[in-house]
Amino acid sequence: MPKNVTIKDIAAKAGVSIALVSFVMNNRIEADGKQKYRVNAQTRQRILEVAKALNYQPNAAARTLRRGRTHVLGVILSDISNVFYGEIAKQIEYIAFQHGYTVLFGSSDESAQKFERIVRSFLDRGVEGFIVVPCEGAYPTLEHILKLDIPLVIIDRKDIALPAPKVVLDNDEAMHHAVSLLTEKGLKKIEMVSYTMRVSSISGREDGFTNTMRSLGFPEDDIRIHRLPFTSIGTDTDKLMPSIMERNVEGLVFATNSLAIAAIKKLSSMGVKIQKDIHLVGFDNSDVYDLFDPPIPHIKQPIDQICSKAFSLLKQLIDREISQESKLITLTGEVVYR
Amino acid sequence: MPKNVTIKDIAAKAGVSIALVSFVMNNRIEADGKQKYRVNAQTRQRILEVAKALNYQPNAAARTLRRGRTHVLGVILSDISNVFYGEIAKQIEYIAFQHGYTVLFGSSDESAQKFERIVRSFLDRGVEGFIVVPCEGAYPTLEHILKLDIPLVIIDRKDIALPAPKVVLDNDEAMHHAVSLLTEKGLKKIEMVSYTMRVSSISGREDGFTNTMRSLGFPEDDIRIHRLPFTSIGTDTDKLMPSIMERNVEGLVFATNSLAIAAIKKLSSMGVKIQKDIHLVGFDNSDVYDLFDPPIPHIKQPIDQICSKAFSLLKQLIDREISQESKLITLTGEVVYR
DNA sequence: CTGTTAGCGCTTTCAA
DNA sequence: TTGAAAGCGCTAACAG
């Protein structure tokens, strides 16, 4: 059991003080191009060699304790197993790594209780900042984070009235595109499938739908939105789709990919010819969109931008370059029809 | 900027020594039901109250430094954005959390270089053990982990000849089921789509296919496996599927869900009637399987068992209850036809 | 039952 | 250019 080598071991073997070893290991270059610590080139060389020979691995805990910085970030998403959030996770991890941060991930699965549990455990781990997709009921927990003076950036949703930057999609415009895709085909009977969940991404898309329909002159009674509970969309779409077909709905837009997938499964099993008997527009990507002719178009969110913007805001917050205040960054989606 | 409260603050406010605070905060119950430290009930009560009032949060770094244990695990999968590995990640996280461990995740994307990069960064973070899906070329990195005397459990693949427990699927039996599903329908011309990648999960499934076909009396020349590179399955299936249909192949089994999805997309776009013109059997789950009539059956791996077994092995390794040695745990898959 | 104290490995100030 | 030493917050051995 070869106990871990420390700077002490290196110092002993190189015949120098531990301070010097530390200086060499932290030989950071300042902004002005000068090194922070000046060490004799040969001494440095020797220390570096010994460190490599001993396979030195700095102790993160000790450094953290001393510096008071963990370089750990917490990211809480709605559901990691959804490709959209999976992509977000991957991107954030990638960017964070390049900046020397480790990321802890959590899935709230839209449960406020789970959300709180995750925050608590991340706090235990000393995360320096959070990037979160707040679920319903997350307000008190987020307030707590802010009270602890821990940097917080919100993504995907903007309904939390707290002094935190929010990076969101222009859902209004996105739904305008989605609906237009159908009206341009000359479709008259267009409806929307959404969640009962009251979070801004969802209600924003609903508003976008309503606004667009109105501006296109659809009478108020023809603007219909079907809202299903997050936890039971399978059984609910199974009930909803037959009635949709009976009423001869011609076009359907969805608030999320999960809703679209559930609906597509049911419609297929009913023998409906998708993109013929009824035209669909999805939200976010999914493999199933490509199985139809023509493929089901969808609204693609600018994941790269969301992640890079969210990270840079969080980093600035951590570095105290900006202060924790409400600020809305709205990004634009894009229609994808293959 | 209210600096973090420490046991010192609590001790001061409660009028006791820091040691006592520490005892109370660590009031662990021993196996024999007795508490490790006996503290006056009232004192304990008071300390607990002060701690709560001050909103005390133990400093993980200090504890780690002192105890020499991080309670952090590293999990490296092939590709987190694949639902199968996404499920694995979720499960392991869940189990680990219940045992007081934090999990760091990484995606190798089947690149040995990336795999090594992740291991290095996890090592920096002081992970106490690894659960990994080794990609091609991961051998030296895993050897390194073992040389560092860090517990390692391998899942999904068993080709690494290293003293580590391996939790894998009985691929032979799984493919036997898959092929039987097609032969029982009376199909005669059955082929397999696989990866060029030489990892045991893949080659095990190929062997299972070959063995089954042989035992069913298929002549050697009719046992065909098409191998595509991991990084270009989209374009490759686009080329492969037309030739498959031209040769009137009746049944196709896949080594993974990604391969199945790619093939299904292409076949659909070709206007092929899936489950009619050609019958498919997938591996692992996907939303797209359900869009056909009948739904495409698939081999479902026992994700719960894989994760709980892998975790408990790792925990025993960490606790030195077992020693690091080669051991193969083979679990059984299940056929799903909805 | 409670307090004192010596570090865990590292960074950083201060002095040499 | 180098070294000595304090101390980050916590645990645990030891003494009382």
Side-chain angles (χ1 to χ4, degrees), chain B residues 92-109:
Chain B
I92 293 182
E93 203 283 332
Y94 182 75
I95 300 170
F97 177 82
Q98 297 186 311
H99 290 258
Y101 283 90
T102 299
V103 183
L104 262 25
F105 288 103
S107 253
S108 77
D109 295 326

Side-chain angles (χ1 to χ4, degrees), chain B residues 48-80:
Chain B
L48 250 19
E49 273 163 16
V50 174
K52 185 161 292 174
L54 260 41
N55 198 3
Y56 170 68
Q57 200 88 50
N59 182 319
R63 178 174 289 172
T64 288
L65 179 58
R66 181 60 232 233
R67 291 218 262 233
R69 296 205 50 183
T70 58
H71 280 273
V72 174
L73 264 27
V75 174
I76 307 180
L77 305 170
S78 161
D79 172 19
I80 302 246

Side-chain angles (χ1 to χ4, degrees), chain B residues 73-230:
Chain B
L73 264 27
V75 174
I76 307 180
L77 305 170
S78 161
D79 172 19
I80 302 246
S81 64
N82 179 313
V83 285
F84 170 65
Y85 292 114
E87 275 298 320
I88 295 261
K90 236 177 168 170
Q91 291 276 348
I92 293 182
E93 203 283 332
Y94 182 75
I95 300 170
F97 177 82
Q98 297 186 311
H99 290 258
Y101 283 90
T102 299
V103 183
L104 262 25
F105 288 103
S107 253
S108 77
D109 295 326
E110 300 296 346
S111 146
Q113 196 186 329
K114 232 173 155 183
F115 191 93
E116 206 227 323
R117 192 211 83 176
I118 297 169
V119 167
R120 249 209 321 273
S121 92
F122 283 5
L123 252 19
D124 282 354
R125 283 284 163 192
V127 296
E128 288 184 16
F130 282 93
I131 294 179
V132 309
V133 175
C135 61
E136 275 186 302
Y139 190 94
T141 310
L142 296 180
E143 211 176 9
H144 178 70
I145 292 175
L146 255 24
K147 211 173 321 178
L148 259 31
D149 203 31
I150 294 176
L152 165 68
V153 172
I154 292 172
I155 59 174
D156 193 44
R157 299 172 187 179
K158 62 181 178 188
D159 19 21
I160 304 279
L162 279 165
K166 299 167 191 75
V167 181
V168 300
L169 181 73
D170 184 339
N171 285 300
D172 205 74
E173 192 216 44
M175 287 316 279
H176 180 81
H177 286 321
V179 173
S180 304
L181 237 33
L182 298 175
T183 53
E184 280 162 11
K185 282 200 169 76
L187 307 186
K188 300 294 177 212
K189 206 172 161 82
I190 298 169
E191 302 186 351
M192 178 174 186
V193 181
S194 182
Y195 283 125
T196 50
M197 204 159 58
R198 291 300 86 191
V199 295
S200 76
S201 50
I202 299 301
S203 45
R205 288 165 205 175
E206 292 178 5
D207 292 347
F209 174 76
T210 307
N211 293 342
T212 307
M213 293 291 280
R214 264 188 206 138
S215 73
L216 288 172
F218 283 86
E220 215 60 26
D221 283 353
D222 291 359
I223 305 179
R224 298 189 59 169
I225 300 177
H226 306 275
R227 298 188 178 85
L228 315 179
F230 179 79

Side-chain angles (χ1 to χ4, degrees), chain A residues 75-338:
Chain A
V75 173
I76 306 179
L77 305 170
S78 162
D79 172 20
I80 302 244
S81 65
N82 179 311
V83 284
F84 171 65
Y85 292 114
E87 276 297 321
I88 295 261
K90 234 174 169 172
Q91 289 277 347
I92 292 181
E93 204 281 333
Y94 181 76
I95 300 170
F97 177 82
Q98 297 186 312
H99 290 258
Y101 282 90
T102 298
V103 183
L104 262 26
F105 288 103
S107 253
S108 77
D109 294 325
E110 300 296 346
S111 146
Q113 196 187 328
K114 230 172 157 186
F115 191 93
E116 206 226 323
R117 190 210 84 175
I118 297 169
V119 167
R120 248 209 321 273
S121 93
F122 283 7
L123 252 19
D124 282 354
R125 282 284 162 193
V127 297
E128 289 183 17
F130 282 93
I131 293 179
V132 310
V133 175
C135 61
E136 276 186 302
Y139 189 95
T141 309
L142 296 180
E143 212 176 7
H144 179 70
I145 291 175
L146 256 23
K147 210 174 320 178
L148 259 33
D149 203 31
I150 294 176
L152 167 68
V153 171
I154 292 172
I155 59 174
D156 195 43
R157 298 173 188 178
K158 62 181 180 189
D159 20 20
I160 303 279
L162 279 169
K166 298 166 190 78
V167 181
V168 300
L169 180 73
D170 184 337
N171 285 299
D172 205 74
E173 191 216 43
M175 287 316 279
H176 180 81
H177 286 320
V179 173
S180 304
L181 236 33
L182 297 175
T183 53
E184 280 163 10
K185 282 199 170 72
L187 306 186
K188 299 294 178 214
K189 205 170 163 81
I190 298 168
E191 301 187 351
M192 177 174 187
V193 181
S194 182
Y195 282 125
T196 50
M197 204 161 56
R198 292 301 84 191
V199 295
S200 75
S201 51
I202 300 301
S203 44
R205 287 165 206 177
E206 292 178 3
D207 293 347
F209 174 76
T210 308
N211 293 341
T212 308
M213 293 292 279
R214 263 189 206 137
S215 73
L216 289 171
F218 281 86
E220 215 60 27
D221 283 353
D222 291 0
I223 305 179
R224 297 189 60 168
I225 300 177
H226 306 276
R227 297 188 178 85
L228 315 179
F230 179 78
T231 45
S232 62
I233 58 172
T235 52
D236 285 310
T237 44
D238 284 359
K239 269 179 273 174
L240 179 61
M241 289 306 129
S243 83
I244 293 270
M245 295 314 294
E246 265 166 36
R247 293 190 297 100
N248 297 307
V249 173
E250 301 169 300
L252 225 39
V253 300
F254 296 89
T256 71
N257 54 359
S258 308
L259 287 166
I261 293 165
I264 292 166
K265 282 187 187 177
K266 180 58 180 174
L267 290 171
S268 298
S269 79
M270 290 164 60
V272 173
K273 303 252 179 308
I274 289 170
Q275 299 299 71
K276 207 158 196 185
D277 299 342
I278 189 167
H279 290 260
L280 311 180
V281 180
F283 213 101
D284 294 329
N285 206 357
S286 167
D287 285 320
V288 310
Y289 295 159
D290 294 334
L291 301 184
F292 300 90
D293 185 28
I296 297 172
H298 69 272
I299 304 294
K300 177 180 152 68
Q301 299 197 50
I303 294 182
D304 292 13
Q305 290 176 53
I306 294 174
C307 296
S308 59
K309 194 67 203 171
F311 179 83
S312 82
L313 282 165
L314 186 60
K315 178 135 177 43
Q316 289 177 76
L317 244 17
I318 290 173
D319 296 344
R320 306 278 166 191
E321 287 167 16
I322 60 174
S323 60
Q324 191 78 41
E325 60 192 5
S326 196
K327 160 156 54 176
L328 192 62
I329 314 286
T330 307
L331 301 171
T332 332
E334 157 188 16
V335 175
V336 176
Y337 25 41
R338 294 204 177 73

